[in-house]
Amino acid sequence: MESEDLGVGIPQSLPSLSDATLRDSAHMAGVEFGPQDAAVIADLLVKTGVDLVEVGMVSGPGSKDADLILATHEAIGPERSMTLVVVRDRQQVATALDEAERLGVRHIMYSIPTSEQHAMLKLGSPSAKFLEALARSAIAQAKERGFHVTFSGEDGARTPKERLVPYVASGFAAGADRFRLAETVAYLSPWQMEEVIGDLTSIDGSEIEIHSHNMLGMAVANSLAAVRAGAQWISATVGGIGERGGNAPLAELLMALRVVHGDTRFDLTHLTELSRVALRGAGLGEAFQSGPTSPHAFAYELPGQLTHPEAYETLPAELVGNSRELLVRTRLTSALVRWALMDSGVSVDVESFTAWLVDRQEATGRQLLDRDAIRKAAVDFQSV
């Protein structure tokens, strides 16, 4: 749908919308949506007019998000859904695609770290040539199986142009359908975002999406700046809930599109109910506070985020008087337990204790655990 020509910098066409509530928010520390929540949220998103609902993550066999993915497919169909697939090496990708096929996924989004820091941390090599080869291989595998493929630039906002542009160009040359720039670590101003996206939209045949985090309070502004530079897709979440200060909040984004660009494609009457359902399912009460001062701003449930916080934080938690915290329900691992017990003076066999605590979590309703709760449980375990 074309927008009116309102002046310099107004996009020639209005963006499509994807919503990552059931993926990004579900991987926010301690937040786990159930299948019933997923079905209701997905249905309301489609009724609102969102084009694509992103749900779950697959890294190999036995995805923990299988029930969410299947519930979303049942509610809105697999063609309106997209699932994130982790990329680490060729064999791992093959097993992840097997799992995606088993779940009936049609549209995948590859998560591939592009900055040197994230590539070294997750792929074991900062090499740009290795990164491009890995992406081309993963894209080719998925296209051979008939998937619609979006590939990402995880930490793309901090990836230099001379590294990012060749990577994106090679991905499209390999057959990818869309590229998502992930502002994994909030980093860019709107005018900087416009420049970065402009470099990408100048690639022949490119289709670009922006996924922005809100630690600096500029996720909506950066999303609109990306569209101004030619991005065709925006990724948001209900209420802005999500990791690292949250994401571009869907309601504010849709209202901004209506006010700024006269965009009347969306039915905004569902937004309040959407927020209520999502916040209830996420266990966040009646509101989610974005930015660096909330209890969730520096909360993690992945070991790498706790041991390498500098790779995920725009500025350190201590700078604003906040602190890093572990929050987890069912995604408990021995690495998380080891971090929680560090410098605690509590000594247990970590593997045995983790297995015991996982069992206790299942028996007691999957309560939210932080570092202090894990330490207290370790003391309880010593007396068993």
Side-chain angles (χ1 to χ4, degrees):
M1 176 180 177
E2 293 191 353
S3 59
E4 297 179 16
D5 184 9
L6 299 179
V8 177
I10 298 300
Q12 294 301 307
S13 60
L14 294 170
S16 298
L17 265 289
S18 68
D19 183 277
T21 303
L22 297 173
R23 193 275 301 171
D24 200 307
S25 304
H27 291 91
M28 178 182 171
V31 174
E32 297 183 16
F33 289 107
Q36 185 175 358
D37 289 323
V40 174
I41 290 169
D43 180 62
L44 288 170
L45 286 169
V46 169
K47 287 178 178 176
T48 299
V50 169
D51 299 275
L52 200 59
V53 177
E54 190 177 350
V55 56
M57 177 176 73
V58 171
S59 58
S63 169
K64 289 186 177 181
D65 293 328
D67 289 344
L68 282 187
I69 294 168
L70 293 173
T72 301
H73 287 180
E74 185 174 350
I76 62 173
E79 298 301 331
R80 295 293 294 267
S81 308
M82 178 171 70
T83 294
L84 183 146
V85 173
V86 174
V87 173
R88 293 295 179 262
D89 58 60
R90 182 178 179 84
Q91 184 55 43
Q92 174 269 320
V93 168
T95 60
L97 292 178
D98 288 342
E99 176 73 350
E101 286 187 324
R102 183 183 74 82
L103 296 172
V105 173
R106 299 285 182 269
H107 188 159
I108 65 168
M109 199 277 286
Y110 276 135
S111 175
I112 307 176
T114 55
S115 68
E116 287 192 11
Q117 187 175 19
H118 273 241
M120 186 65 202
L121 181 62
K122 297 184 176 181
L123 303 178
S125 172
S127 166
K129 288 185 177 180
F130 173 74
L131 178 67
E132 291 176 24
L134 180 63
R136 287 195 301 267
S137 172
I139 291 165
Q141 287 187 70
K143 294 306 293 184
E144 287 171 2
R145 298 184 187 221
F147 287 104
H148 184 285
V149 179
T150 296
F151 71 115
S152 80
E154 183 184 346
D155 202 25
R158 297 193 300 179
T159 304
K161 174 182 176 179
E162 58 272 16
R163 180 181 175 93
L164 183 64
V165 172
Y167 164 77
V168 176
S170 68
F172 281 117
D177 300 283
R178 185 181 310 138
F179 172 74
R180 170 186 285 180
L181 181 77
E183 195 181 14
T184 306
V185 178
Y187 182 72
L188 301 176
S189 65
W191 50 94
Q192 291 170 317
M193 177 65 75
E194 192 169 346
E195 182 177 351
V196 170
I197 294 294
D199 291 334
L200 303 180
T201 55
S202 65
I203 298 170
D204 287 343
S206 64
E207 183 175 305
I208 305 299
E209 178 173 1
I210 178 62
H211 175 83
S212 190
H213 281 259
N214 206 33
M215 186 66 86
L216 303 180
M218 294 191 290
V220 170
N222 278 351
S223 298
L224 295 182
V227 172
R228 178 180 168 117
Q232 296 101 320
W233 285 78
I234 299 175
S235 170
T237 63
V238 177
I241 55 179
E243 301 176 281
R244 293 182 298 281
N247 297 277
L250 180 67
E252 288 90 325
L253 178 64
L254 295 185
M255 290 183 69
L257 285 171
R258 178 165 291 200
V259 171
V260 176
H261 295 315
D263 187 351
T264 59
R265 295 172 298 162
F266 301 96
D267 183 351
L268 307 186
T269 62
H270 300 290
L271 290 175
T272 298
E273 184 181 3
L274 251 174
S275 293
R276 179 183 59 79
V277 172
L279 288 166
R280 182 194 64 201
L284 294 171
E286 297 183 354
F288 170 70
Q289 178 187 346
S290 64
T293 60
S294 76
H296 299 277
F298 298 94
Y300 304 113
E301 67 175 14
L302 297 177
Q305 294 174 330
L306 289 162
T307 55
H308 299 280
E310 71 284 349
Y312 295 91
E313 295 175 2
T314 308
L315 293 169
E318 296 80 6
L319 187 68
V320 294
N322 209 334
S323 60
R324 243 161 254 111
E325 184 54 88
L326 183 161
L327 291 176
V328 63
R329 293 184 190 275
T330 68
R331 301 177 189 275
L332 192 64
T333 64
S334 57
L336 287 175
V337 169
R338 193 170 289 108
W339 183 88
L341 296 181
M342 191 167 47
D343 300 325
S344 69
V346 180
S347 179
V348 296
D349 180 274
V350 170
E351 299 298 333
S352 298
F353 169 58
T354 301
W356 176 84
L357 186 54
V358 167
D359 289 342
R360 195 179 81 165
Q361 281 290 91
E362 290 295 327
T364 58
R366 302 176 177 181
Q367 62 184 345
L368 185 63
L369 297 174
D370 58 16
R371 176 167 41 185
D372 289 342
I374 291 175
R375 290 179 173 184
K376 183 178 183 302
V379 174
D380 295 340
F381 177 72
Q382 288 177 322
S383 63
V384 173

